Amino acid sequence: MDNFRFCVGTDIRFGKERLAELPEVLAEYGKKVLLVYGGGSIKKNGLYDKIQRLLKDFEIVELAGVEPNPRLTTVKKGAALCREQQIDVILAVGGGSTVDCSKVIAAATFYEGDPWEFIKDRQYVGKALPLVDILTLAATGSEMNRGAVISNWDTNEKIGVGGWEMLPKVSFLDPENTFTVSKYQTAAGSADILSHLFENYFKNTEGTDVQDFVAEGLMKTVIKNCPIALVEPNNYDARANLMWASTLALNGLTGSGKGGAWSCHPIEHELSAYYDITHGIGLAILTPRWLKYVLNEKTATKIAQYARNVWQVTESVDELAARIGIQKTYDYFKACGIPMTLPEVGIDEEKFELMAQQAVKHSDIENSAYVPMTAADVVGILQDCLIESSYL
Ligand code: NZQ
Ligand code: ZN
């Protein structure tokens, strides 16, 4: 296990009716609030009205319309509002896109220059406005981490940036706020949670039983509860387990102490950067093909461990057990209603080469991924995503 620092100061307020605590939480930072939200789901499900009632004694400035795959233009708009209106605290209400956009607005407010500069540097060092969020979709883990991913449509780039000051101060996690999430987004969010767990689980660092066994438990949690939530969207416990799993999958718990680059995320970020697809869907399509690509004599033991501990595969030969595990992963995503080929989400071969080169340029997959990948390897993985696959 590698050395690490684990310090996540987000105050989690989990459960029903906890929003009554919102005024007290925000009052600690001031009276002038930037309320940030997406395309209107919070207006449809009543959360917006509830917040307005709770914050009647606050001065609220609104930034609506944060896009899925949030854009640099919206970050700039938000930062300008914060400066002009002398905002004290940002309240993000929505999924990962709204929380991510708010994190970067919080930082960009104090940044002199184009925020794309520090996004491209991958890190923000400096002051940021305090951020409180009300999460409405279980997926990214943004509610308890210091990362954010922003898209620049002028350059077709989607880049992740991190900063200690961007960590949410308080996150309200009420599973009831996710009852209205569509089947598609529920499945996509669950695939994203699983992918965060896979990315950290399949690493070359030895001796990480704590991280790996915790990850296996979280994977089983998602695999069990997503299908329940798809059939019964108002099932509180299913939504609660997905929500808490999403937070724990990417707050450092399973990733700390393990080195090396992630693999599927850098490739997916290029798919979203060029085609604006849903992040979790891209990951679900890529994951089984990537697992097939990384399966070799050295990795078979770990992929077989995943197959046996997560999918109860009983096969004793590692390579075969691994293949069964990959097939089960593929079948699971398909059963959740995820389109499992790129053409189904409107992507053909045209930009494979370009996206592969960008994935290598924007990440360290060529050197430090679980199994290093060149642009040609990435093209091969993308080509595999053109048609339905079988791994047995
Ligand atoms: O915009 P609204 O109207 O709110 O609708 C959203 C959006 O259309 C809808 N939605 C959210 N909550 C809902 C709801 N619809 C009904 N009821 C609700 N309660 O769902 C759609 C998707 O929302 P979005 O916020 O885009 O989804 P998600 O949470 O999956 O976030 C995806 C973004 O996060 C980034 C992704 O790349 C992508 O840009 N990521 C952020 C990470 C992080 N900060 O650590 C890590 C991840 O790997 C990921 O890259
Ligand atoms: Zn992700």
Side-chain angles (χ1 to χ4, degrees), residues 148-162:
V149 190
I150 300 298
S151 295
N152 182 343
W153 274 92
D154 290 336
T155 59
N156 276 123
E157 286 177 293
K158 179 175 177 179
I159 292 186
V161 54

Side-chain angles (χ1 to χ4, degrees), residues 46-57:
L47 188 54
Y48 176 88
D49 289 340
K50 196 174 187 177
I51 291 165
Q52 293 291 345
R53 280 196 299 276
L54 282 164
L55 301 188
K56 59 182 182 340
D57 298 330

Side-chain angles (χ1 to χ4, degrees), residues 39-41 95-97 100 136 140 145 147 158 177 180 196 265 269 279:
S41 68
S97 294
D100 280 11
T136 66
T140 64
N145 70 38
K158 179 175 177 179
N177 286 334
T180 53
H196 298 156
H265 272 69
H269 284 173
H279 174 63

Side-chain angles (χ1 to χ4, degrees), residues 139-141 149 188-189 191-193 195-196 199 250 262 265 268-269 279-280 283:
T140 64
V149 190
D192 191 23
I193 305 170
S195 180
H196 298 156
E199 299 272 24
L250 199 51
W262 282 16
H265 272 69
E268 195 297 309
H269 284 173
H279 174 63
L283 291 168

Side-chain angles (χ1 to χ4, degrees), residues 155-198:
T155 59
N156 276 123
E157 286 177 293
K158 179 175 177 179
I159 292 186
V161 54
W164 287 102
E165 295 302 322
M166 289 170 15
L167 185 75
K169 301 282 185 219
V170 182
S171 288
F172 284 89
L173 309 187
D174 181 344
E176 290 186 337
N177 286 334
T178 66
F179 284 179
T180 53
V181 176
S182 66
K183 282 187 197 304
Y184 192 75
Q185 290 293 341
T186 299
S190 299
D192 191 23
I193 305 170
L194 284 171
S195 180
H196 298 156
L197 295 164
F198 296 151

Side-chain angles (χ1 to χ4, degrees), residues 315-368:
E315 167 61 52
S316 60
V317 177
D318 280 354
E319 203 213 310
L320 281 179
R323 282 185 187 281
I324 298 169
I326 300 172
Q327 184 68 50
K328 285 190 179 286
T329 310
Y330 182 93
D331 294 344
Y332 175 79
F333 286 141
K334 205 168 158 63
C336 290
I338 296 178
M340 285 302 286
T341 65
L342 287 179
E344 286 171 84
V345 293
I347 301 178
D348 61 17
E349 275 179 283
E350 190 197 334
K351 295 195 168 71
F352 280 3
E353 196 69 48
L354 179 61
M355 292 191 294
Q357 280 162 10
Q358 292 292 86
V360 169
K361 182 179 151 206
H362 287 143
S363 73
D364 198 36
I365 53 175
E366 209 168 12
N367 302 306
S368 68

